[in-house]
Amino acid sequence: MGKTPLLHIQNVVKHFDISGGLLDQLAFSGGKIVRNRSVVHAVNNVSLDIMEGETLSVVGESGCGKSTLARVVIGLYPPTAGEIHYRGQRMDNLQGTARRPFRTKAQMVFQDPYASLNPRMRVRQILEEPVRFHKPELSGDQVREKIAEVMDQVGINPVWAERYPHEFSGGQRQRISIARALVLDPEFIVADEPISALDVSIQAQVLNLMMDLQEQRNLTYLFISHDLSVVEHISDRVAVLYLGTLCELATSEELFENPRHPYTKALLSAIPRIGKGFQHIKLSGDVPTPIKLPTGCVFHGRCPNANDRCRQEVPVARTLESGSVVACHGVEEGRI
Amino acid sequence: MDTLLDVRNLTVKFALRDSALTAVNNVSFTLNRGERLGLVGESGAGKSVTGFSIINLVSKPGFIADGSVWFDGRDLATLSQEEMRKVRGNRISMIFQDPMMTLNPVLTIGTQMVETVLAHRNVSKAEAEAIAMDKLRKVYINSPEKRLKQYPHEFSGGMRQRIVIAIALLTDPALIIADEPTTALDVTIQAEIMDLLLELCRTEDMGLILITHDLGVVSQVTQKVAVMYAGSIVELGETEQVCSNPQHPYTRGLIAALPEAATGSRLNQIPGSMPNLAEIPVGCAFNNRCELGKGACFTTVPQLERKQSGVFAACHELE
Ligand SMILES: Nc1ncnc2c1ncn2[C@@H]1O[C@H](COP(=O)(O)OP(=O)(O)O)[C@@H](O)[C@H]1O
Ligand SMILES: Nc1ncnc2c1ncn2[C@@H]1O[C@H](COP(=O)(O)OP(=O)(O)O)[C@@H](O)[C@H]1O
Ligand code: SF4
Ligand SMILES: [Mg+2]
Ligand SMILES: [Mg+2]
C-alpha cells in the first residue's frame, strides 16, 4: 500500500474503427440513410498496476486483447480512453520528445524473432540502431562496448556480431531480440509471446535467461503468453482477460490454486498436463465477436453460473479477502 | 491383438544435387486396431514427414529410401498412386494443423462432404447428404442441415477443425493421422477437440496417430508414444510409463524442461539445440547435447532396444 507502482493502468479502453471510408458506412434502412460504424472493442476498461521488479502476466484466448493492451501500455497505440502512468507520471498524453525518456525505459520483445529482426541488417547494426538514436552522445567505442556487453549477457558470443539473423537458430534469434531490448538499459520490458515460436527445450533456455536478466537488472516484466504452465511458473501475478475485459487478477499461486472467476476456472481446467486426468470444464458456444459486445457480463453467454443480473449488469472488479480481484456477480453474491 | 499398422525400418530422404539428407531414419513402430499413438518431438524432428510417408505422400524432392508400411496386409510403400489413393480416401484419413489444408474456401461444407462421399461410395446424392449430416452430428455440430449450406469462413477455427474431423470420418477410416490438429487453437478449444478425437477413436474403433510437440496432450490422449529426435525414434513405450519414468536422456531432458518439473525458479534446460539434417553428428544424434555421452555414442548409431524398464530406447548408456 502507498507504494507507487511502476505502471498504473487506469480504465484503459482501446477501440479499433474498422468501418472503412464514409461511403462504406452508409446504408439505406427503413427509408432513411443511416451511418453504420463497426468498432472492435479490443480492450474494455482495464485497470491494473504493475509493481517494480515483478512479472505480471496477461493470459486469455487469442483475440482477447492481450497484444492490444501491451501496445497501449508501451505507447505504440494511443488509448481510446483511460490513462497510463509511469512512476506516477501520466504518459499516454505526451507527444514526441516529451515521451522520449519513457521510450528508452520501456522496451518490447515480440513473438516472432524472424519477423522482428531485419534480415538485411547484421546483428551489430540491429543492436546499434537504438543506441545511436537515443544516445547519440556515446562514442563509437562506447557503443561497441555496450553491444558486446548485452550480447554476452544474452549468451550470444560477441564475435558473431557481423552475422545476419538467418545465420542463427530460432532460440538464438530470440536472444538477439532480447539483447536489442536491453541495449538501452530499460526498466520495463513488455514481452508478447516471446517463447511461443520456440521448442520446449529452447523455451526453457530463453525463460531462464529472462529470469536471470530480471534479477541482474531488476527488470519489471509485462509478460504475455498463452502457455499457462509457463505463466504459472514465472509470474508474480496474473491477469485473465476475456473479450478485452479483466476477469480476474491474482498472485500466481492464488490464481492457479484457487481460481475464482468461472472463466478462469474453465481456462485452467483445460491445460493439458502430464499425469493429470482429462477432466475439463466444458464451455458452451464460441467467444462472441468484440464488435458487438454482450450486455452485462461479457462471459454470460458461456458461463454455467449466469443469471438475469449477469445478462444485464456489467460486473465490477472487486478485491476479495484473498487479495484476488474478480469481476463476477456470482462471486460477489457468494453463489460461486 | 490385431495389428493395424506396422511401420518397419522406414527411411525417408530428401534429394539434393549430389547427395541426400535423411529426414526419417530407420523408424519402426506398430499400432493395433483402435489404438492411439503419440508422435512427439521438436520441430524438424521428422514427425510430419513420417506421417506423410505412411500414406505415401512425401513430395519431391523427398522419397521413401527404405522400409515398409504394412497396413491391412499390404505394403503401402509399394502401392501404385492409384491404389494408394483408394487407401487414403477409404481407410486412412489425415488431419492437419490448418483446417484450410482440407477445406476449399469457395465451396460449401455440404458440397465438399457430398463430393467426398460420392467419390468413394456408390450411393445417391441424398444418401451422401444423410451420411454427411450424420458425421457432423458425431462431431457435435448442431443443425447440420443448415451447416451444410455454409462456407468455411462462416465457422470459427475450432468449428472448422470439427468439420475437418467430420470429413475425415466420412469414409469410416480405420486410422486417422492428426498432425498438430490443435496447435493453432486455444487451450479450451484444444481440450474439446481432443475430447472429441478420443471419443471417436473409442466409439468407432479407430486408430490414431497424434503428431504433436505437446507432451501434455500426448499424455492425456494416447496409449503409446514414440519420441522423435533428428529423424529417429529415440524412445517408444506405453505413454504412462514414458511420461512418468522417461529413459532416454533426450526424453528425460524434455520432460524435465517443462515448467511443472522445475524445483526452484530455474527451469531445467537441455543445452544447445537439435541439429539440422545436414549437421547430424556421427554416432548418436543426441551426443552433442547429452550428459551421458561417451565412447560408442560418438561412433555408433544406437538401435531402439527394449531396456530394463520395459520401454524401448535408442541409447548406448541405458541397460
Ligand atoms: N490494428 C487493428 N485493427 C483492427 N482490429 C484489431 C487491430 N489489432 C487488434 N484488433 C482486434 O482486436 C482484438 C484483440 O486483438 P489482440 O490484442 O491482438 O488479441 P490477442 O493478442 O489477445 O490475441 C481482436 O478482435 C483483433 O482482431
Ligand atoms: N520438402 C522438403 N525438402 C527438404 N527438406 C524437408 C522438406 N520437408 C521437410 N524437410 C526436412 O525434414 C525434416 C523433418 O521435417 P518435419 O517432418 O516437417 O518435422 P516436424 O514435423 O517434426 O517438425 C526437417 O529438417 C525439414 O527441414
Ligand atoms: S458475472 Fe455472472 S455470467 Fe459473468 S462470470 Fe460471473 S456468474 Fe458468470
Ligand atoms: Mg497477441
Ligand atoms: Mg510437423
Side-chain angles (χ1 to χ4, degrees):
Chain A
M1 276 289 113
K3 209 171 141 212
T4 309
L6 187 71
L7 264 136
H8 172 61
I9 297 162
Q10 191 186 312
N11 304 107
V12 162
V13 174
K14 180 65 191 175
H15 291 171
F16 295 104
D17 190 330
I18 53 163
S19 0
L22 183 62
L23 282 178
D24 297 330
Q25 299 173 22
L26 298 179
F28 200 67
S29 158
K32 278 186 294 196
I33 289 184
V34 292
R35 188 168 169 199
N36 288 319
R37 307 196 101 188
S38 310
V39 172
V40 179
H41 300 78
V43 175
N44 304 305
N45 207 19
V46 168
S47 298
L48 52 92
D49 287 347
I50 305 176
M51 306 311 287
E52 188 160 12
E54 81 167 335
T55 298
L56 185 134
S57 293
V58 180
V59 301
E61 299 184 63
S62 52
C64 74
K66 303 182 294 297
S67 297
T68 303
L69 179 64
R71 284 173 156 82
V72 170
V73 166
I74 205 149
L76 288 175
Y77 293 151
T80 306
E83 298 180 6
I84 312 282
H85 296 245
Y86 190 79
R87 292 198 186 281
Q89 193 199 345
R90 187 164 173 192
M91 301 305 311
D92 58 278
N93 56 358
L94 297 183
Q95 305 287 333
T97 46
R99 217 189 156 87
R100 270 235 190 139
F102 174 68
R103 283 223 197 101
T104 64
K105 291 199 174 85
Q107 293 294 320
M108 190 142 175
V109 176
F110 296 91
Q111 167 171 356
D112 190 353
Y114 299 72
S116 64
L117 298 176
N118 185 336
R120 277 185 286 280
M121 280 165 78
R122 297 174 191 278
V123 170
R124 178 182 51 77
Q125 295 170 302
I126 290 171
L127 298 179
E128 270 178 13
E129 199 178 41
V131 188
R132 293 210 186 279
F133 182 79
H134 286 284
K135 297 188 173 166
E137 70 281 6
L138 294 187
S139 72
D141 274 349
Q142 284 172 311
V143 174
R144 267 186 293 280
E145 217 170 277
K146 183 81 222 165
I147 285 165
E149 177 203 314
V150 290
M151 286 185 75
D152 206 46
Q153 269 197 348
V154 300
I156 299 283
N157 192 331
V159 304
W160 293 343
E162 297 305 320
R163 295 193 183 180
Y164 290 93
H166 74 259
E167 298 177 66
F168 294 89
S169 69
Q172 289 171 323
R173 269 182 271 211
Q174 197 54 295
R175 287 171 189 267
I176 295 166
S177 309
I178 294 172
R180 180 179 54 186
L182 292 178
V183 285
L184 295 171
D185 293 322
E187 299 171 327
F188 174 54
I189 289 188
V190 175
D192 190 355
E193 308 265 8
I195 53 151
S196 303
L198 306 176
D199 279 308
V200 180
S201 74
I202 310 299
Q203 283 186 359
Q205 296 172 3
V206 172
L207 288 168
N208 279 339
L209 171 67
M210 289 186 66
M211 290 188 283
D212 290 345
L213 292 168
Q214 180 168 46
E215 212 171 289
Q216 289 157 14
R217 294 170 163 254
N218 190 33
L219 292 170
T220 304
Y221 287 138
L222 175 62
F223 185 87
I224 292 173
S225 176
H226 63 262
D227 187 329
L228 294 155
S229 308
V230 166
V231 165
E232 174 175 20
H233 185 75
I234 69 152
S235 317
D236 296 297
R237 291 189 302 148
V238 181
V240 183
L241 286 191
Y242 183 84
L243 267 181
T245 306
L246 183 72
C247 300
E248 184 157 359
L249 171 65
T251 63
S252 186
E253 293 92 49
E254 186 64 26
L255 190 93
F256 283 88
E257 259 166 45
N258 188 18
R260 298 300 306 274
H261 193 285
Y263 175 64
T264 315
K265 290 184 188 196
L267 184 68
L268 302 192
S269 78
I271 307 174
R273 293 195 204 255
I274 286 186
K276 188 192 96 169
F278 196 26
Q279 292 305 312
H280 62 98
I281 299 169
K282 296 188 177 72
L283 295 176
S284 53
D286 285 318
V287 183
T289 158
I291 294 172
K292 193 171 180 302
L293 285 186
T295 56
C297 170
V298 283
F299 188 54
H300 82 243
R302 306 178 73 200
C303 179
N305 309 96
N307 65 12
D308 276 343
R309 185 179 173 209
C310 303
R311 284 181 271 277
Q312 286 150 19
E313 188 186 325
V314 178
V316 182
R318 287 171 205 277
T319 308
L320 310 181
E321 248 171 60
S322 63
S324 301
V325 174
V326 180
C328 169
H329 295 311
V331 171
E332 189 213 330
E333 291 160 14
R335 57 187 174 83
I336 294 179
Chain B
M1 270 230 226
D2 197 0
T3 303
L4 177 66
L5 178 74
D6 185 355
V7 177
R8 289 188 205 159
N9 307 105
L10 184 67
T11 298
V12 182
K13 297 191 177 186
F14 286 96
L16 302 179
R17 229 166 299 153
D18 42 17
S19 61
L21 294 176
T22 306
V24 174
N25 191 1
N26 199 18
V27 157
S28 303
F29 62 86
T30 62
L31 190 74
N32 291 327
R33 203 164 291 283
E35 197 174 35
R36 304 181 299 279
L37 168 95
L39 208 52
V40 288
E42 301 183 55
S43 54
K47 306 181 296 294
S48 296
V49 173
T50 301
F52 279 116
S53 57
I54 288 170
I55 53 172
N56 211 334
L57 259 194
V58 207
S59 49
K60 288 225 162 76
F63 62 98
I64 296 183
D66 198 7
S68 48
V69 178
W70 291 96
F71 179 82
D72 269 353
R74 286 190 294 180
D75 179 4
L76 303 186
T78 63
L79 292 192
S80 71
Q81 282 306 315
E82 185 51 40
E83 290 171 305
M84 198 55 226
R85 210 165 296 137
K86 282 192 204 134
V87 175
R88 273 202 294 274
N90 283 317
R91 308 282 294 135
I92 306 181
S93 295
M94 192 150 176
I95 297 170
F96 305 96
Q97 176 175 335
D98 180 0
M100 296 315 286
M101 292 266 290
T102 309
L103 299 174
N104 185 333
V106 300
L107 298 179
T108 63
I109 300 303
T111 308
Q112 303 185 48
M113 294 187 79
V114 167
E115 274 177 11
T116 306
V117 177
L118 292 180
H120 294 284
R121 281 205 209 168
N122 197 4
V123 293
S124 71
K125 190 156 174 277
E127 284 168 311
E129 240 168 51
I131 293 173
M133 285 195 278
D134 176 52
K135 302 304 181 193
L136 286 176
R137 272 184 215 108
K138 283 216 157 84
V139 301
Y140 299 101
I141 297 228
N142 297 327
S143 27
E145 312 78 7
K146 208 177 88 199
R147 298 308 197 173
L148 284 178
K149 299 198 187 77
Q150 291 182 303
Y151 290 88
H153 73 261
E154 297 176 63
F155 296 89
S156 67
M159 292 266 272
R160 267 181 231 157
Q161 202 59 298
R162 278 176 195 275
I163 290 167
V164 166
I165 295 173
I167 291 177
L169 294 178
L170 283 174
T171 53
D172 301 316
L175 172 63
I176 288 193
I177 301 174
D179 190 352
E180 309 264 6
T182 56
T183 302
L185 301 174
D186 287 310
V187 279
T188 55
I189 302 176
Q190 164 169 285
E192 287 167 18
I193 298 280
M194 287 302 160
D195 258 356
L196 178 65
L197 279 174
L198 194 58
E199 178 189 324
L200 290 169
C201 285
R202 287 187 179 136
T203 56
E204 317 284 302
D205 198 26
M206 236 168 26
L208 175 70
I209 295 180
L210 179 64
I211 297 176
T212 172
H213 63 277
D214 191 330
L215 279 158
V217 169
V218 160
S219 97
Q220 293 184 335
V221 176
T222 66
Q223 298 152 311
K224 281 205 295 205
V225 61
V227 182
M228 288 191 79
Y229 185 82
S232 302
I233 293 182
V234 296
E235 182 154 358
L236 175 69
E238 307 269 321
T239 304
E240 215 183 299
Q241 207 180 356
V242 171
C243 288
S244 62
N245 186 18
Q247 294 295 308
H248 193 281
Y250 175 65
T251 321
R252 281 193 216 165
L254 207 56
I255 291 177
L258 296 174
E260 297 91 308
T263 43
S265 74
R266 283 187 72 78
L267 299 165
N268 306 304
Q269 55 188 57
I270 308 177
S273 55
M274 195 172 70
N276 65 45
L277 298 185
E279 292 166 350
I280 295 178
V282 176
C284 170
F286 189 60
N287 64 20
N288 57 346
R289 301 175 77 187
C290 184
E291 288 174 346
L292 307 178
K294 59 180 184 223
C297 305
F298 294 92
T299 56
T300 317
V301 177
Q303 300 299 314
L304 195 63
E305 301 167 332
R306 189 183 282 278
K307 301 293 181 186
Q308 262 170 18
S309 75
V311 303
F312 289 80
C315 173
H316 293 302
E317 290 299 306
L318 288 176
E319 296 286 307

